[in-house]
Amino acid sequence: MKILRPAGGHAAYQRAAEIFCEIYAEITGITLEIITEDDGDDVVVIGSDAVNRLAADIYLEGRISFSLRQGSDDYDIFSVMDGGRKLLILAGGRGRSTVYAVYRYFELFCGCRWFWDGDIIPKADSVPMENISVSESPRFFYRGTRYFAHRSLHRFQAEHWGLEDWKRELDWLMKKRLNMFMLRIGDDDLFQRAFPDVVEYPPEEGKQRSDAGGYNDRTTAWPLRYRGELRKKVLEYAFSLDLMHPEDCGTMTHWYSRTPLSFLEAKKPKLLSQATRGYSEQSGLVWDVREDENLNNYFHLTETHIREFGRPELFHTIGLAERAYSDDKEANFRMKRYVYHRIAERIAAEYPNAPLLIASWDLWAKYAPEEAAQLLKSFDPHRTVLLDYTSDSLRENTFPKWDVVGKFPWIFGIFHAYQADTEIRGHYPSIEARLRMAAEDEKCCGFILWPEHSHGDTFMTEYMAANAWSPLELSVEERLEKFCADRYADKKEEMHRIWKQFWPFVTMAAWDLENPEEKIRIFAHKDICGDVLFYLKFQPQSQYIEETAEKCRAWAEDAAAVVRGLIPFADTQNPFLRRDLFDIVRTVVKRYKQNGLRKVERAYLEGTDPEPFCQRCLRLTDLFADLLGQSEDFSLAESYRRLEKVHPVNPAFENTLKENASDQYCRGHIYENVRYLYRYEEELCFEMLRRSRREGVHPDAIRAEYVEKALENQKAFIAAPFASMETPERSTETLVKTLEKIAEFLDEEA
């Protein structure tokens, strides 16, 4: 048997042949020859009649037919006898869908399974070549994900990934039949390429000039020139797979894409004055695009990105996101709409065949529903698409309120925020209800996952990919059962039982606020556990909801059973099961940590002694650190070492990484943070509470003193080298003891 690929055409056809060869070899141990001319052997035919001569010949003879739509993401997989030989035809409507056909063949007929963190490829002597007939077509045209600019842990942050990481990631997109991704990880060396006469490359070592700290410190790990080279290689590989990548355009200035000070000094663009503090540093202000020169310079950046890295087939804008430009509400929205119109007009004039994606974030965050509807009515629906990546928001202000359903092209999207929230969660009942609206609306043309971090929630990732192709084909319960069967092999039944018992803890938290209209009440958004001096307000209007507290009490016995059920897998050699063990347990721990903090707050408000609850919170924090310490996924030091393996790292970046990861907005499930920041700050918070009760004052009256101590400790944490921090010993015995202690803690909660 051989593989017959097209002699020419898109590079994705050659890649499809190579992929078939690679997977076939892994299954059988045999490496097939790839040919471009039919020699009469049994053959795997790559491509339809449009690109493959053999497919064309037998099609013209009337012996086969194709159901795929040319140029689409449809594909046909079928076998046919040609005289005495066997043909397996893997044909797509275009290059990328031919790659989909290859992966789908191995999934359907050879038992292969694809996950972001690895593949399951069974062994066999041969693969099926007869009685095969599959034709599939996606419901949504746009299907993809976005990678963002925060830094912390390698698993979650795309800025940490080298070329081999990216190739695995892009291959995974193809395995899941996605067709779009977006790099929003900063501008790399775009200004240096666009304006080389005024913007030089920064030094490769030392802290690079920054107007602000926290996640706004954009000192890079790798030299900016190398990052540009990496971006170029990543996008070249993506385009070889026929993937789409939206081009950022318009007013791109943001916290992760700041204007270099040298550009400001040389060009002196007039800047829009802001009425809000966010991104108000000179490097974060938007250039006033009422002046043509500023608009031209913004589009020169986009044109440079197209020339150096990208393709002008799809555009994206954030407009004037997250800002206000006037205290006069009407004047502010007039300015925002005006800027959108300027951007849309420029794209329509210069790239008339390329759609413009209008990001929903500012509409969700800053517009009233009727204002969002009014804005969208001002766009040409033939050239513009609403990218609503806040479709899973529990607020009322999202697509059902924007008068788009049945009227305006739009993309359904799951944000699954925020940066700090990397556990397993999601209010699936509301997601499913809104997804049904999307699936039934012919104007809805996409389904994307657009998070601030990657690969926090493996089930959500699988859920998105499956439903982006064929929405609601399975219920959530059926999807969960399939997930367990696909991922855990002979442990599927045990893990399915654990997941079902764990599921209430998934749906009791989501990234957005509660929705009174739909009577949805969940845990508050953001990872409150990571910054108690900021979030624990001791006010009657608590972020903690009594209803969810009662659920935690009622479900504690189940929570303990979930953790105990995972103990036998502490020594598993299945990497998927091991990773999910940590993800499940850390999710449970977070729920009870949130609940414990709520008990502290409630005791104070009711005038009872909160000390027992304080001590339990500290105990659980210690167990949380012990748990995270047993997995490299959650080690900041390990993430830094992985950066060093890709390319030499700017020595100053070690402190920047700690500063980025310890920013109030970004505090997540990080071993070093829990051990050296969160634990100390909880002690400070509880000491503040004790003193406030002794002195008869509200904690806010003395909070500043304790916040200052926390900031001093944070500065010391940032300055301390990773080498000075404890490296936990990782062993099955230690993990088992930690899980047993967590289960005992949960028993006490019941």
Side-chain angles (χ1 to χ4, degrees):
M1 187 169 72
K2 296 176 183 175
I3 304 170
L4 177 65
R5 71 166 178 84
H10 196 284
Y13 293 109
Q14 178 175 340
R15 185 67 191 126
E18 293 168 350
I19 291 166
F20 192 98
C21 185
E22 292 163 6
I23 300 174
Y24 185 89
E26 192 157 351
I27 291 174
T28 67
I30 300 169
T31 300
L32 298 178
E33 181 183 356
I34 299 175
I35 58 176
T36 57
E37 294 290 337
D38 182 27
D39 63 0
D41 201 351
D42 288 353
V43 69
V44 178
V45 180
I46 301 294
S48 72
D49 60 305
V51 294
N52 191 297
R53 179 58 185 271
L54 176 59
D57 288 345
I58 57 178
Y59 168 73
L60 292 171
E61 292 168 5
R63 290 188 285 144
I64 63 171
S65 61
F66 294 95
S67 63
L68 58 85
R69 296 166 296 171
Q70 193 59 40
S72 76
D73 284 354
D74 302 356
Y75 53 80
D76 294 333
I77 304 170
F78 58 92
S79 58
V80 63
M81 295 301 296
D82 181 40
R85 66 172 177 162
K86 300 173 184 175
L87 305 182
L88 173 63
I89 299 177
L90 304 174
R94 57 186 298 160
R96 65 175 173 248
S97 50
T98 304
V99 177
Y100 300 159
V102 172
Y103 284 126
R104 189 67 166 152
Y105 164 78
F106 283 112
E107 182 178 4
L108 290 175
F109 300 103
C110 303
C112 296
R113 296 293 181 265
W114 323 114
F115 298 99
W116 71 265
D117 51 350
D119 302 329
I120 297 173
I121 301 180
K123 304 298 182 184
D125 294 331
S126 62
V127 300
M129 291 283 287
E130 297 180 87
N131 302 315
I132 293 171
S133 179
V134 174
S135 296
E136 294 182 315
S137 178
R139 159 61 183 88
F140 297 116
F141 177 73
Y142 297 106
R143 309 176 308 280
T145 187
R146 186 268 311 262
Y147 302 91
F148 209 41
H150 289 292
R151 292 94 164 251
S152 60
L153 298 171
H154 180 276
R155 169 179 166 184
F156 307 116
Q157 303 306 331
E159 267 208 41
H160 289 260
W161 301 347
L163 183 58
E164 293 308 310
D165 297 312
W166 272 112
K167 285 185 173 180
R168 282 191 295 272
E169 184 74 5
L170 296 172
D171 286 342
W172 171 77
L173 295 182
M174 301 299 290
K175 293 167 184 175
K176 307 311 287 189
R177 298 177 292 178
L178 305 178
N179 64 9
M180 181 177 75
F181 80 112
M182 188 171 185
L183 297 175
R184 303 212 78 207
I185 59 174
D187 283 336
D188 296 329
D189 61 348
L190 187 56
F191 271 92
Q192 286 75 11
R193 293 173 186 252
F195 303 101
D197 54 328
V198 297
V199 182
E200 297 180 347
Y201 283 88
E204 294 190 359
E205 293 191 2
K207 189 176 178 69
Q208 293 152 7
R209 186 172 181 182
S210 172
D211 291 351
Y215 63 71
N216 286 292
D217 180 357
R218 300 304 294 165
T219 298
T220 58
W222 301 315
L224 205 58
R225 194 183 301 273
Y226 172 77
R227 282 187 47 146
E229 294 168 356
L230 177 61
R231 173 179 283 259
K232 190 173 185 67
K233 292 175 181 177
V234 169
L235 286 173
E236 284 175 348
Y237 187 70
F239 294 140
S240 77
L241 296 170
D242 198 16
L243 285 166
M244 290 184 287
H245 181 269
E247 291 289 334
D248 250 337
C249 68
T251 45
M252 295 186 289
T253 308
H254 212 60
W255 68 262
Y256 47 83
S257 53
R258 291 178 173 271
T259 306
L261 298 183
S262 56
F263 179 91
L264 294 174
E265 293 163 0
K267 298 289 187 179
K268 296 181 173 56
K270 182 181 178 183
L271 303 172
L272 281 175
S273 59
Q274 290 185 191
T276 46
R277 291 180 58 189
Y279 326 122
S280 59
E281 307 86 4
Q282 289 290 295
S283 65
L285 292 173
V286 171
W287 318 338
D288 189 344
V289 296
R290 288 174 294 188
E291 297 188 358
D292 288 344
E293 181 181 2
N294 288 332
L295 184 66
N296 291 340
N297 282 336
Y298 269 128
F299 271 90
H300 182 56
L301 287 171
T302 298
E303 290 154 1
T304 301
H305 193 279
I306 292 169
R307 184 187 71 242
E308 300 281 340
F309 305 111
R311 293 184 176 179
E313 60 180 344
L314 182 63
F315 290 85
H316 166 270
T317 184
I318 60 172
L320 295 176
E322 299 188 304
R323 313 162 196 255
Y325 295 88
S326 171
D327 291 329
D328 182 322
K329 188 174 176 65
E330 175 61 24
N332 183 60
F333 286 123
R334 282 183 181 273
M335 172 62 77
K336 288 195 169 189
R337 287 192 290 268
Y338 161 78
V339 170
Y340 275 126
H341 295 164
R342 287 274 274 169
I343 296 166
E345 173 63 24
R346 186 68 171 256
I347 293 297
E350 297 191 10
Y351 307 98
N353 297 317
L356 174 63
L357 303 179
I358 303 294
S360 71
W361 182 255
D362 205 40
L363 280 64
W364 168 84
K366 300 295 184 181
Y367 284 53
E370 60 273 14
E371 292 166 334
Q374 182 183 349
L375 171 72
L376 293 171
K377 283 184 173 69
S378 71
F379 290 117
D380 181 352
H382 298 99
R383 293 176 169 172
T384 318
V385 179
L386 170 65
L387 175 61
D388 180 23
Y389 56 86
T390 58
S391 304
D392 60 327
S393 168
L394 294 184
R395 290 189 196 179
E396 297 176 48
N397 188 29
T398 187
F399 76 85
K401 300 287 187 176
W402 295 345
D403 201 27
V404 296
V405 175
K407 299 178 181 179
F408 193 87
W410 63 287
I411 295 172
F412 178 94
I414 292 178
F415 189 43
H416 211 46
Y418 287 97
Q419 153 64 10
D421 293 303
T422 60
E423 85 277 18
I424 306 170
R425 72 199 187 290
H427 195 269
Y428 283 88
S430 61
I431 291 173
E432 294 260 293
R434 290 181 174 179
L435 178 56
R436 187 167 299 282
M437 294 175 66
E440 294 173 354
D441 182 12
E442 64 178 13
K443 290 292 186 179
C444 185
C445 55
F447 185 174
I448 53 94
L449 180 65
W450 218 244
E452 289 192 317
H453 55 74
S454 301
H455 308 314
D457 183 338
T458 299
F459 178 79
M460 174 61 81
T461 302
E462 291 292 305
Y463 175 88
M464 177 279 297
N467 282 285
W469 186 271
S470 181
L472 304 173
E473 189 174 61
L474 299 178
S475 67
V476 173
E477 294 77 12
E478 292 167 332
R479 183 68 57 197
L480 182 60
E481 184 175 9
K482 184 178 188 308
F483 175 83
C484 294
D486 289 346
R487 193 161 168 88
Y488 305 126
D490 60 334
K491 304 301 180 185
K492 62 184 180 183
E493 293 180 1
E494 297 99 309
M495 286 302 296
H496 186 220
R497 174 181 54 78
I498 289 170
W499 268 95
K500 286 195 294 184
Q501 206 163 19
F502 166 62
W503 194 250
F505 299 95
V506 175
T507 57
M508 71 189 296
W511 70 272
D512 198 14
L513 303 173
E514 58 185 297
N515 186 334
E517 184 181 84
E518 298 180 29
K519 295 183 173 56
I520 298 170
R521 299 179 64 81
I522 58 166
F523 266 129
H525 63 290
K526 296 189 180 178
D527 204 323
I528 296 166
C529 311
D531 198 353
V532 294
L533 281 168
F534 180 86
Y535 282 114
L536 206 57
K537 303 299 187 183
F538 300 104
Q539 298 288 349
Q541 296 78 24
S542 173
Q543 296 195 69
Y544 302 101
I545 300 168
E546 191 63 27
E547 181 181 328
T548 54
E550 287 304 311
K551 288 178 180 178
C552 276
R553 184 193 62 76
W555 295 339
E557 185 175 336
D558 283 346
V562 165
V563 176
R564 284 202 172 90
L566 290 168
I567 290 175
F569 304 130
D571 63 348
T572 181
Q573 299 304 301
N574 181 330
F576 306 123
L577 202 161
R578 179 174 176 82
R579 174 166 282 117
D580 296 351
L581 179 156
F582 281 95
D583 286 355
I584 291 170
V585 177
R586 67 190 175 92
T587 299
V588 170
V589 169
K590 179 179 172 181
R591 298 289 175 271
Y592 282 89
K593 187 58 188 292
Q594 288 176 305
N595 188 47
L597 291 169
R598 187 208 61 81
K599 289 179 179 179
V600 170
E601 187 176 57
R602 186 177 65 179
Y604 168 79
L605 292 170
E606 293 176 351
T608 59
D609 184 10
E611 189 61 27
F613 304 119
C614 294
Q615 293 305 312
R616 286 188 64 74
C617 280
L618 291 170
R619 179 179 161 197
L620 191 54
T621 298
D622 288 335
L623 290 172
F624 194 31
D626 291 343
L627 174 70
L628 297 181
Q630 290 301 301
S631 170
E632 291 184 353
D633 272 359
F634 307 103
S635 167
L636 205 60
E638 178 61 28
S639 291
Y640 183 79
R641 286 190 285 270
R642 293 185 71 164
L643 287 168
E644 293 179 308
K645 292 177 182 177
V646 173
H647 190 277
V649 172
N650 177 358
F653 184 73
E654 181 176 338
N655 287 0
T656 294
L657 178 59
K658 284 175 279 188
E659 184 167 4
N660 292 162
S662 63
D663 180 87
Q664 181 267 320
Y665 184 79
C666 301
R667 293 180 166 210
H669 298 183
I670 301 169
Y671 165 73
E672 290 85 355
N673 281 19
V674 179
R675 184 71 80 198
Y676 298 106
L677 290 176
Y678 307 167
R679 178 58 157 79
Y680 176 77
E681 291 170 10
E682 275 186 58
E683 289 270 21
L684 288 178
C685 184
F686 298 153
E687 176 53 38
M688 173 185 72
L689 182 60
R690 295 182 197 107
R691 180 179 157 193
S692 76
R693 297 183 73 233
R694 289 196 306 268
E695 298 179 4
V697 298
H698 191 275
D700 282 352
I702 56 175
R703 189 185 295 267
E705 176 183 335
Y706 293 90
V707 169
E708 185 61 32
K709 291 180 181 179
L711 291 174
E712 288 300 318
N713 180 66
Q714 184 179 354
K715 289 177 183 176
F717 169 78
I718 292 169
F722 285 126
S724 69
M725 298 181 186
E726 172 196 3
T727 301
E729 179 185 348
R730 298 188 180 107
S731 68
T732 299
E733 181 182 4
T734 302
L735 178 57
V736 167
K737 288 181 179 178
T738 300
L739 295 174
E740 288 174 342
K741 289 178 181 178
I742 291 171
E744 290 168 5
F745 182 97
L746 296 170
D747 282 337
E748 296 166 9
E749 291 286 294

